Amino acid sequence: MHDPRALVDMGADAVRRLARRGYTLDLEGLEDLLSRRNKSIHRADELRAESKRVAQEVQSAARQGADTGELKQRARDIKDEIRDVEAEQEQLAGRLNELMLGIPNLPLDTAPDGDSEDFAVEVRRHGDPPTFAFPPKDHVDLGEALGILDFGRATKLSGPRFSVARGAGARLERGLAAYFLDLHTRRHGYVEHSVPFLVTPATMTGTGQLPKFEEDLFKTGTNNRDLYLIPTAEVPLANLHAEEILDAGDLPLAYTAYTPCFRSEAGSYGKDTRGLIRLHQFAKVEMVRFCAPEESQRELETMVGHAEACLAGLGLPYRVVTLAAGDMGFSAQLTYDIEVYLPGQGRYREISSCSDCGTFQARRARIRSRDKDGKRGLVATLNGSGLPIGRTVAAILENNQRADGSVVMPPALVPYLGFHTIAADGTPQV
């Protein structure tokens, strides 16, 4: 969320930067609304001061035995006017807040132009895609042949875009989660959290999912309470410090959590309907960082390195790209995507997004810091996948398949799994 005065002061530069995201800022309309809101605040303050003066005059006149009728009528008139001005002020403030909640973050100039993944700029690559002496299968065919993935029964249970893992597949999912969490907590310095999977509308608003993207969420309501299923652990993690003032000396803070994630995937019908790439429910290990605003870009590079370490540790080939300004998430000012190579598709696919949100989310959630001199300011927030379980399973199966139908596990995972290979019949080989 932006400070409306800051956008007005930026003027044409704010219009230009938001246009790169495909958002048209009505600068004149914003300035007019802000001016009217401010005038109503000033007018209400003037009337309250006048009301106080008239009340004092009534008391003085009464002590002197003078007629107070006219003064009392003036006091009543002022109270009526205050009520009208406050109602106008509330209405204008509501309109301004609604407008500001719908304006996306300003992209940094380092984000390339464009509005889709086609405009992403490659930063670096790690590892070489594997070569096979046979036509490589995708993870759906592999998983079903091994008997470790069952999409048909998942559809029977819940409809399309769900999955069931069994046997070695379920152990692989559990082992990956433990591996990622150990990597982030023991090597990268994150504090693990166990967080709620249902959150309030205010929590969703704090990170930018509401009000603009309600159709992308799953909502439930019981006992007169509206709650939303989290689309990512970023939502509860980033809001842990909502309405709080952090000690600047404690920054940066680094949090991680392993949670299920729920997304309606509105607007994505027909895309990636096969397999584990785009599901309504999936599991993910998330990273969130809080830091001083001037440190956010450096912290973003750090977080990307942590996500890369997950893939490098598993021996999976990947590349890092900078997303185009018009293809970033609503709250981001700069985003790196990490894309893993999938032999079954013959291309790189996104497996992690790491975003620098600047102070955008902190203003919405009112997360501030205070330094040793007592100076207060907003913090910056960052978030990134580290990593999603389903897409990592897909990448392991496809990159480590063998001609006989078996799949070899990455050595780093073996201690978490208790087996080194899934045989062609789905049996774990210890």
Side-chain angles (χ1 to χ4, degrees):
M1 188 170 182
H2 301 285
D3 177 350
R5 173 48 58 189
L7 285 183
V8 169
D9 290 343
M10 289 177 65
D13 189 48
V15 174
R16 176 190 67 82
R17 291 172 66 181
L18 286 169
R20 297 181 68 224
R21 300 201 62 145
Y23 184 90
T24 301
L25 176 64
D26 179 3
L27 192 63
E28 290 185 2
L30 172 59
E31 188 168 14
D32 176 68
L33 186 56
L34 180 61
S35 176
R36 290 167 59 196
R37 194 278 310 265
N38 291 343
K39 286 179 180 177
S40 70
I41 292 174
H42 181 66
R43 179 56 181 159
D45 289 341
E46 289 181 333
L47 288 169
R48 292 188 194 99
E50 185 177 356
S51 178
K52 186 175 180 180
R53 287 194 300 271
V54 172
Q56 291 172 344
E57 290 177 14
V58 169
Q59 292 175 0
S60 177
R63 284 195 297 268
Q64 297 173 18
D67 182 11
T68 60
E70 191 173 323
L71 285 171
K72 287 182 177 180
Q73 182 58 49
R74 174 58 183 152
R76 287 191 290 270
D77 291 343
I78 293 173
K79 286 183 179 179
D80 290 341
E81 192 172 355
I82 289 174
R83 185 173 59 252
D84 292 342
V85 172
E86 286 180 339
E88 178 189 36
Q89 178 184 326
E90 183 178 353
Q91 188 263 342
L92 291 169
R95 287 177 55 191
L96 182 61
N97 188 61
E98 182 180 4
L99 173 62
M100 299 311 297
L101 286 174
I103 300 176
N105 204 353
L106 296 168
L108 296 181
D109 287 337
T110 50
D113 290 331
D115 60 0
S116 72
E117 61 183 19
D118 296 333
F119 296 91
V121 175
E122 184 172 315
V123 178
R124 57 184 171 271
R125 293 193 181 201
H126 178 89
D128 296 319
T131 57
F132 300 94
F134 57 91
K137 297 179 180 178
D138 70 9
H139 66 278
V140 178
D141 292 336
L142 284 165
E144 291 183 334
L146 292 167
I148 64 172
L149 295 177
D150 192 334
F151 296 99
R153 287 190 172 94
T155 300
K156 178 175 66 175
L157 294 173
S158 306
R161 294 196 174 184
F162 287 89
S163 68
V164 168
R166 66 182 298 274
R171 287 171 66 180
L172 177 55
E173 290 187 349
R174 175 160 50 93
L176 278 169
Y179 171 69
F180 293 151
L181 287 171
D182 280 352
L183 198 60
H184 294 318
T185 58
R186 296 177 182 178
R187 187 187 302 179
H188 300 152
Y190 289 78
V191 178
E192 184 179 354
H193 287 70
S194 178
V195 294
F197 309 151
L198 288 163
V199 297
T200 65
T203 301
M204 283 292 189
T205 301
T207 42
Q209 279 75 26
L210 288 178
K212 190 172 179 63
F213 301 103
E214 184 161 11
E215 67 173 4
D216 295 323
L217 306 171
F218 285 106
K219 181 180 180 181
T220 181
T222 57
N223 300 321
N224 297 318
R225 293 180 63 200
D226 288 334
L227 294 172
Y228 292 86
L229 289 162
I230 60 171
T232 165
E234 169 204 347
V235 175
L237 285 177
N239 279 280
L240 284 173
H241 295 298
E243 307 285 351
E244 293 183 17
I245 300 176
L246 306 176
D247 187 336
D250 293 337
L251 300 176
L253 299 175
Y255 297 161
T256 189
Y258 168 59
T259 68
C261 305
F262 306 89
R263 301 181 183 180
S264 72
E265 296 293 348
S268 67
Y269 297 104
K271 298 179 181 178
D272 295 317
T273 56
R274 179 176 167 83
L276 299 171
I277 302 300
R278 197 183 298 272
L279 299 175
H280 290 311
Q281 176 187 319
F282 59 97
K284 180 158 66 84
V285 174
E286 183 75 359
M287 304 175 289
V288 165
R289 298 179 76 87
F290 303 84
C291 68
E294 62 271 16
E295 298 293 327
S296 68
Q297 292 184 58
R298 182 162 61 184
E299 288 290 312
L300 178 60
E301 299 295 335
T302 296
M303 177 176 281
V304 172
H306 295 160
E308 288 185 75
C310 295
L311 291 169
L314 296 174
L316 296 172
Y318 66 85
R319 69 173 190 161
V320 179
V321 301
T322 306
L323 289 192
D327 194 36
M328 295 190 301
F330 180 79
S331 297
Q333 63 179 8
L334 185 66
T335 297
Y336 289 111
D337 266 10
I338 304 174
E339 300 177 344
V340 68
Y341 187 77
L342 294 180
Q345 298 186 15
R347 63 190 181 113
Y348 289 90
R349 295 300 307 270
E350 182 253 313
I351 195 168
S352 173
S353 280
C354 296
S355 295
D356 172 10
C357 298
T359 60
F360 186 83
Q361 291 180 330
R363 184 178 295 280
R364 296 171 77 104
R366 297 179 180 87
I367 308 171
R368 295 172 290 169
S369 66
R370 179 169 48 214
D371 65 19
K372 60 183 179 180
D373 298 321
K375 183 179 179 181
R376 297 183 183 184
L378 294 169
V379 303
T381 61
L382 304 96
N383 63 80
S385 304
L387 295 169
I389 304 303
R391 293 190 183 199
T392 307
V393 167
I396 288 173
L397 295 180
E398 294 192 18
N399 280 278
N400 296 304
Q401 58 185 294
R402 298 294 182 262
D404 64 358
S406 65
V407 178
V408 177
M409 296 294 101
L413 269 187
V414 172
Y416 294 89
L417 301 175
F419 60 87
H420 59 78
T421 302
I422 303 176
D425 63 359
T427 304
Q429 302 294 306
V430 179

